[in-house]
Each structure stands twice: as structure tokens, then as C-alpha cells.
Amino acid sequence: MTTVEDFKVKSHELLMELDAATSDMMTLICAHQMTGAAWDEAVRRQHEAYEQWVGYLNEGS
């Protein structure tokens, strides 16, 4: 069973990855680099980070 503290720590870790992935995407947008391999990887990373965070949040409900 996950304690409240364990939940907070894991949720924070996942949220930090989501924030970093989103920041990387925004950097590419600012540089007008919204095509190509770097963009595709950034989109994949951000999507995966979001899915992992939401999935973890929904495990407890």
C-alpha cells in the first residue's frame, strides 16, 4: 500500500519530468523548430510524461 508521503514523492517526480518535457517543447517552439526528429522526440517525451503522471494519479482513485 502506498502511503500519502510515497504518493506525494512519486507524483512530484512524475510532475517534474512532465514540466521538463513541456519546457523542452516550448524551447523548440520558440526556436521555430516544430518539425523533424527533435520535435517528434519532444512531443513523444511530453506525451509519455503526461500519460505517466495522469495514470499514476488515477491509480489511487
Side-chain angles (χ1 to χ4, degrees):
M1 178 163 190
T2 303
T3 67
V4 172
E5 189 61 32
D6 292 339
F7 179 82
K8 287 168 50 176
V9 169
K10 180 66 174 179
S11 179
H12 185 256
E13 288 173 1
L14 293 170
L15 192 54
M16 298 245 328
E17 171 57 18
L18 176 56
D19 186 48
T22 301
S23 291
D24 287 349
M25 279 185 68
M26 295 301 111
T27 298
L28 290 172
I29 290 169
C30 289
H32 303 284
Q33 296 178 353
M34 294 170 288
T35 60
W39 176 254
D40 292 343
E41 174 57 22
V43 170
R44 185 208 59 76
R45 179 182 173 208
Q46 197 276 342
H47 177 76
E48 182 65 24
Y50 174 80
E51 291 295 323
Q52 287 183 8
W53 183 63
V54 169
Y56 185 72
L57 293 180
N58 289 329
E59 282 178 12
S61 41

